[in-house]
Amino acid sequence: MNERPNFSRQSCPLPLMDHDTVQLAHGAGGRLSADLMEKLILPRFRCPELEALGDQAVLNLAPGRVAFSTDTFVVSPIFFPGGDIGDLAVNGTVNDVAMSGATVEALSVGLVLEEGLPMRDLHRILCSMEQAAATAGVRIVTGDTKVVDKGSCDRIFINTSGLGVIPDGVNLTPKNISAGDVVLVSGTLADHGMAVLTTREKLSFQSEIRSDSAALNGLINTLLQAAPGTRTLRDPTRGGAATTLNEFAAAAGVGIRLDDEAIPVRPPVRGACEVLGIDPLYVANEGKFIAVVPADETTPALAALRNHELGADAAQIGVVVDEHPGLVALRTSLGVERIVDMPVAEQLPRIC
Amino acid sequence: MKHLDEFRDPTLAKSLLEKIHETVTRPWVIMEICGGQTHAIMRHGLDRLLPPEITLVHGPGCPVCVTPLETIDRALAIASRPEVIFTSFGDMLRVPGSRDDLFRIKSRGGDVRMVYSPLESLNLARENPDREVVFLAVGFETTAPGNAMALKQAATERLTNYSQIASHVLVPPAMEAILSAPNNRVQGFLAAGHVCAIMGWEPYEPLAQKYGVPIVPTGFEPVDILDGILKTVSLLEEGAPEVANQYLRAVRKQGNPAARAVMDEVYEICDRKWRGIGPISDSGLRIRDHLAAYDAERRFSVADITPNEPAVCISGEILQGLKKPDECPAFGTDCTPTSPFGATMVSGEGACAAYYRYARRGWK
């Protein structure tokens, strides 16, 4: 799926509702609940499984192994440059399922709404979920809505779960990694985390930093066709690339050596990281994966990735080595190697 | 980020390294003052590119590390109060006091907020007139002017719900304490560039003369640090205990007079205890008496809190350049960033944390 529809000019008008904010009764199962479902939610996610309005969705899946994942989204702010909590909730779970090499089939959506949430905001989030699901080519087949007292959650929390079927012969796991393999990243690092941080803390930098929130199932499909020997894939979300690479090194009992100068980071993102004393290798991404591929498939893998809109900045960032098993090292521009450690906790901006 | 690339240029860095190798003939011990410099040295692996004659030791320039435990305990006591919105820079949040840290206070319902500028805490005070907004004003001469500006503004606006815990520290008295110690081994300094941008390099001239050490105000990028080391080594080899400014793009001899004026208006010099080092005369800044209404420690009467330090930690010797982090028997085993004994391990700017993160034992 190389073509991403452009929704930016489409309008998604708010249907006429009796209330302009979410009321406790919208989650109580009565008339207001039905109103919310029929006017706001169903029109966004129309598909036969959902419209049956049963207690469950009944799916016909292709035979094979099923990949199943769940994630809960509590991001603040709920709107940020490059995305919002809605597309993040769809893309995040699509990506978690797709990292297994599965064809992502269906999602569930659980909404926890805080009493008083503006209907306009809810509608905007549902519209972006609709668009994200359409772009990823997945259906939202079942869901649930709860409304909690004001103060019991921060405006809106979203849980999504996803199902996909793994094609025969695909078996992606870090245990496949061995010395000599090559580490690729599908694009620039740290965009999402820095977009959220700079928006949340109202830090203004000269150029806007945008989240990279995107569904990667299409890009993964492209990669697996070009590099069928791909060992493993993972999306470096919380904890960033450093965490993912440390997990790979530990699981496979190998060392990983990165090349500092090869790691792609957009200049404004790098600048914001420098100012705040944050290392981009530890910052969250929501539209990137790290792939380990056999050395002889590096060239076709990179060519295929770079030919895809979401992989234009793909790069080889390191190699897998026999030395220092379980550790990730980084070769600095001066040719010295240092450790890239697992993060202890969230990085905190420094005093000076 | 052209500006940054220039100061990370590998070709320039390599030519500076060659000059350092050519210049050095004898062993020298050089201290970089600032924790930011320590981290740059470890992050870029500069220490492993220097000739074996040069030993870098790591100075006390980590504000989080040297803030005394009693200040942290008093901050925690104030942050626990229900009427208080407690504001702090991010890296103070995880620093343990005797029993707690600010994150734990927050998890128990304390209103603790991370700010990026002292002026944000002032905004909170304006927006929440029924709450007490307290800002934890720690740091060296670099952060003091901004913090002074916030307090001055609060006084101008006659805000009655804003106060600071002011625990600033000053670099030159700490350098003098290190130099005058009988077991001192530091022969030259890379002074902290950002501190010098405020204070200028004039205050270092008497120190250089009295103790016969070269002092080089230095920046924070690899090329800055290598250039600073080259200047220091050249002065040491020549036997010239002078002040030579490496950080030309930020530091003037007089510093920033406007910033110094506002600091002087709000704060006055006082004796200060440094965590791990002990009391140093005239080494801190406190809020002047006419602004006592904005002094949180007086406002909330917490002055009687006096804690005890854990005995095993050698962070004091590390902060004075007497030992290196990996000379501590607990380093990387009993003491790690997840279970730190002392502030040099817990703070992102601390020397122990830098060693653990970039080059822990067993790493070539």
Side-chain angles (χ1 to χ4, degrees):
Chain A
M1 220 179 43
N2 283 359
E3 291 294 307
R4 296 185 77 199
N6 179 3
F7 292 99
S8 57
R9 283 184 299 270
Q10 286 197 353
S11 67
C12 198
L14 176 66
L16 269 182
M17 301 288 289
D18 293 336
H19 297 272
D20 55 9
T21 57
V22 171
Q23 310 292 305
L24 278 173
H26 281 119
R31 190 183 64 78
L32 281 184
S33 290
D35 204 38
L36 185 72
M37 188 66 196
E38 280 160 25
K39 288 187 179 157
L40 222 56
I41 299 176
L42 265 187
R44 303 275 68 83
F45 304 140
R46 285 201 185 286
C47 68
E49 292 92 341
L50 186 65
E51 281 172 293
L53 291 180
D55 282 347
Q56 71 295 109
V58 179
L59 305 174
N60 286 311
L61 294 179
R65 288 169 303 144
V66 170
F68 180 38
S69 184
T70 191
D71 204 344
T72 302
F73 296 82
V74 298
V75 64
S76 173
I78 56 178
F79 302 105
F80 44 82
D84 61 45
I85 191 171
D87 61 68
L88 204 60
V90 170
N91 294 334
T93 293
V94 166
N95 291 345
D96 283 345
V97 175
M99 294 301 147
S100 66
T103 307
V104 190
E105 298 282 352
L107 296 185
S108 72
V109 172
L111 299 171
V112 178
L113 310 178
E114 185 188 18
E115 178 186 14
L117 175 74
M119 219 42 104
R120 192 178 347 100
D121 288 354
L122 175 59
H123 180 66
R124 183 174 159 194
I125 289 163
L126 292 169
C127 288
S128 74
M129 294 183 83
E130 175 190 22
Q131 290 165 7
T135 307
V138 301
R139 307 183 314 283
I140 290 168
V141 295
T142 186
D144 176 56
T145 306
K146 294 282 188 299
V147 181
V148 297
D149 290 319
K150 196 162 183 61
S152 295
C153 89
D154 185 7
R155 289 166 292 170
I156 177 168
F157 294 162
I158 303 177
N159 172 273
T160 51
S161 298
L163 280 179
V165 178
I166 304 173
D168 277 345
V170 174
N171 181 28
L172 302 176
T173 151
K175 295 202 184 337
N176 297 336
I177 301 173
S178 61
D181 289 345
V182 165
V183 182
L184 308 179
V185 62
S186 68
T188 54
L189 291 177
D191 298 275
H192 174 74
M194 293 312 290
V196 169
L197 181 70
T198 51
T199 311
R200 179 167 65 208
E201 308 301 340
K202 302 187 179 70
L203 304 175
S204 44
F205 290 95
Q206 243 172 359
S207 17
E208 190 183 53
I209 297 173
R210 298 176 65 80
S211 168
D212 58 350
S213 173
L216 296 169
N217 50 341
L219 186 64
I220 289 170
N221 205 7
T222 306
L223 172 73
L224 293 181
Q225 278 171 21
T230 297
R231 312 292 194 211
T232 194
L233 295 169
R234 197 164 287 181
D235 54 340
T237 52
R238 268 179 309 177
T243 301
T244 299
L245 292 163
N246 271 283
E247 288 166 355
F248 284 176
V254 295
I256 292 177
R257 189 166 65 221
L258 304 176
D259 176 1
D260 197 12
E261 291 179 318
I263 297 169
V265 180
R266 278 183 219 287
V269 173
R270 189 178 290 284
C273 285
E274 288 291 338
V275 168
L276 297 170
I278 287 174
D279 186 337
L281 280 175
Y282 295 91
V283 179
N285 309 278
E286 291 291 347
K288 300 292 155 44
F289 59 71
I290 292 178
V292 181
V293 301
D296 60 0
E297 292 185 357
T298 308
T299 309
L302 278 177
L305 290 173
R306 287 175 181 159
N307 202 30
H308 190 290
E309 186 192 10
L310 293 174
D313 298 313
Q316 173 180 340
I317 58 168
V319 289
V320 179
V321 294
D322 278 325
E323 297 97 59
H324 52 78
L327 280 181
V328 180
L330 178 134
R331 196 176 170 79
T332 71
S333 58
L334 298 177
V336 185
E337 278 188 28
R338 65 161 169 90
I339 295 176
V340 176
D341 208 1
M342 273 291 222
V344 175
E346 194 183 359
Q347 294 188 98
L348 299 169
R350 63 179 170 220
I351 292 179
C352 64
Chain B
M1 279 271 117
K2 182 185 170 299
H3 177 69
L4 254 184
D5 295 341
E6 203 177 313
F7 297 100
R8 290 188 180 173
D9 177 20
T11 319
L12 196 49
K14 279 174 190 149
S15 93
L16 286 165
L17 274 164
E18 276 166 27
K19 284 185 196 145
I20 293 170
H21 280 264
E22 285 163 18
T23 310
V24 71
T25 64
R26 285 181 282 159
W28 299 111
V29 176
I30 299 171
M31 173 181 275
E32 81 278 357
I33 289 290
C34 176
Q37 292 166 331
T38 306
H39 265 254
I41 289 165
M42 301 307 292
R43 184 174 165 193
H44 298 280
L46 303 181
D47 55 331
R48 285 180 284 153
L49 297 168
L50 292 172
E53 289 89 346
I54 298 175
T55 304
L56 291 179
V57 293
H58 318 302
C62 159
V64 176
C65 299
V66 300
T67 300
L69 202 49
E70 50 262 44
T71 303
I72 295 167
D73 279 353
R74 287 169 195 171
L76 295 172
I78 293 171
S80 307
R81 299 171 74 113
E83 74 273 27
V84 166
I85 298 176
F86 195 87
T87 57
S88 165
F89 292 130
D91 50 1
M92 283 305 291
L93 296 180
R94 217 166 16 228
V95 179
S98 301
R99 282 181 306 277
D100 276 319
D101 59 38
L102 285 167
F103 274 128
R104 284 187 219 175
I105 300 284
K106 183 168 187 261
S107 73
R108 288 201 295 267
D111 193 346
V112 177
R113 306 191 195 183
M114 178 171 74
V115 293
Y116 290 81
S117 149
L119 297 174
E120 282 177 55
S121 65
L122 206 57
N123 275 339
L124 283 170
R126 294 183 190 115
E127 290 160 9
N128 298 276
D130 53 336
R131 305 281 303 278
E132 284 282 342
V133 176
V134 181
F135 177 67
L136 181 52
V138 298
F140 283 88
E141 294 93 326
T142 330
T143 40
N147 297 346
M149 201 66 209
L151 197 147
K152 185 184 170 184
Q153 187 62 32
T156 308
E157 293 177 29
R158 297 180 194 282
L159 287 177
T160 55
N161 64 330
Y162 179 84
S163 58
Q164 290 185 351
I165 301 176
S167 184
H168 293 103
V169 277
L170 303 172
V171 169
M175 285 168 69
E176 180 142 29
I178 288 165
L179 287 167
S180 58
N183 50 357
N184 168 54
R185 57 180 189 143
V186 178
Q187 296 163 294
F189 286 97
L190 307 184
H194 292 160
V195 168
C196 298
I198 305 293
M199 305 304 287
W201 50 266
E202 248 178 344
Y204 298 94
E205 285 191 316
L207 275 179
Q209 279 166 18
K210 183 173 171 190
Y211 294 94
V213 290
I215 300 173
V216 177
T218 300
F220 300 83
E221 295 300 326
V223 165
D224 289 323
I225 290 169
L226 291 172
D227 189 25
I229 292 170
L230 176 61
K231 284 190 163 58
T232 312
V233 170
S234 305
L235 292 169
L236 283 166
E237 291 282 347
E238 286 164 29
E242 292 165 12
V243 179
N245 182 14
Q246 184 280 325
Y247 206 24
L248 290 167
R249 64 187 186 278
V251 175
R252 286 179 195 83
K253 189 173 184 184
Q254 319 296 337
N256 179 338
R260 280 161 52 192
V262 68
M263 265 167 77
D264 191 49
E265 203 179 323
V266 171
Y267 303 128
E268 63 187 354
I269 291 174
C270 65
D271 297 343
R272 174 65 34 85
K273 186 175 163 189
W274 293 51
R275 190 172 192 175
I277 298 179
I280 303 176
S281 321
D282 294 338
S283 70
L285 293 174
R286 69 171 172 223
I287 296 169
R288 286 188 180 274
D289 281 341
H290 74 276
L291 295 165
Y294 298 93
D295 186 339
E297 291 182 74
R298 292 188 241 190
R299 197 170 174 128
F300 295 98
S301 45
V302 285
D304 55 341
I305 295 175
T306 47
N308 293 316
E309 287 279 1
V312 279
C313 182
I314 65 158
S315 63
E317 289 163 280
I318 291 167
L319 292 167
Q320 295 170 78
L322 300 174
K323 286 197 174 155
K324 289 201 168 209
D326 53 6
E327 291 172 45
C328 173
F331 174 79
T333 53
D334 294 335
C335 179
T336 65
T338 33
S339 58
F341 283 174
T344 43
M345 183 61 95
V346 75
S347 158
E349 298 273 291
C352 295
Y355 269 62
Y356 187 87
R357 185 158 165 196
Y358 299 124
R360 60 179 173 266
R361 215 195 306 252
W363 184 250
K364 64 181 183 288

